[in-house]
Amino acid sequence: MSRQLWRPVVLVAVAVALTVSCGWAAAIHGADVSAEEVEGRWDNGAGASLTLHEDHTFTSERFGELPIASECGNPRALASGRWAFYASVEADEAAVRGSVLSLKFSPDDCDVVAHLFGDGDDLVMCATEDPDNGCSDGGSFHRTRTEVSGSRDGGQGARAAAVGT
């Protein structure tokens, strides 16, 4: 082939490679998800969990043992709080979609940032200030169960209805 023919072929190949890699990078990095997609129980595989409710409250188990919790005044008290998507630069409970969550633990108002990655059944929540540094030890949570109910009964009413009891 002549030199003039190789040039367009190489340019097309580079353009295709960049398009594909950027599409994959977008899927791996931030996930713009709805509130319904984040509601439910999230586990880190090491015993810590978060359960996000429809009413923008959440409960947690063993979250205070994670490295990111050391930034809070009393890590052992991190048992519940309120969640919201970040809309522009601040958390806003009125936001119905997003890729970054604010987990504000009460009573100390300790705010932990969690980034969402992936899509559909492969969503990952990463509790970290800087997602470019990856998740800290135990900071990667996977959704294990969705909740139909917005109540804090742990979804018991929704599960009972689902199994017909």
Side-chain angles (χ1 to χ4, degrees), residues 1-25:
M1 267 191 209
S2 73
R3 182 187 239 186
Q4 291 176 346
L5 186 57
W6 277 104
R7 183 178 229 171
V9 170
V10 169
L11 289 175
V12 168
V14 169
V16 168
L18 286 174
T19 301
V20 169
S21 67
C22 289
W24 287 339

Side-chain angles (χ1 to χ4, degrees), residues 26-37:
I28 293 170
H29 291 286
D32 183 38
V33 299
S34 68
E36 292 81 21
E37 290 175 288

Side-chain angles (χ1 to χ4, degrees), residues 19 44 51 59 72 76 81 93 143 150:
T19 301
N44 74 343
T51 303
T59 55
C72 297
R76 296 208 181 270
E93 287 188 16
R143 191 170 52 171

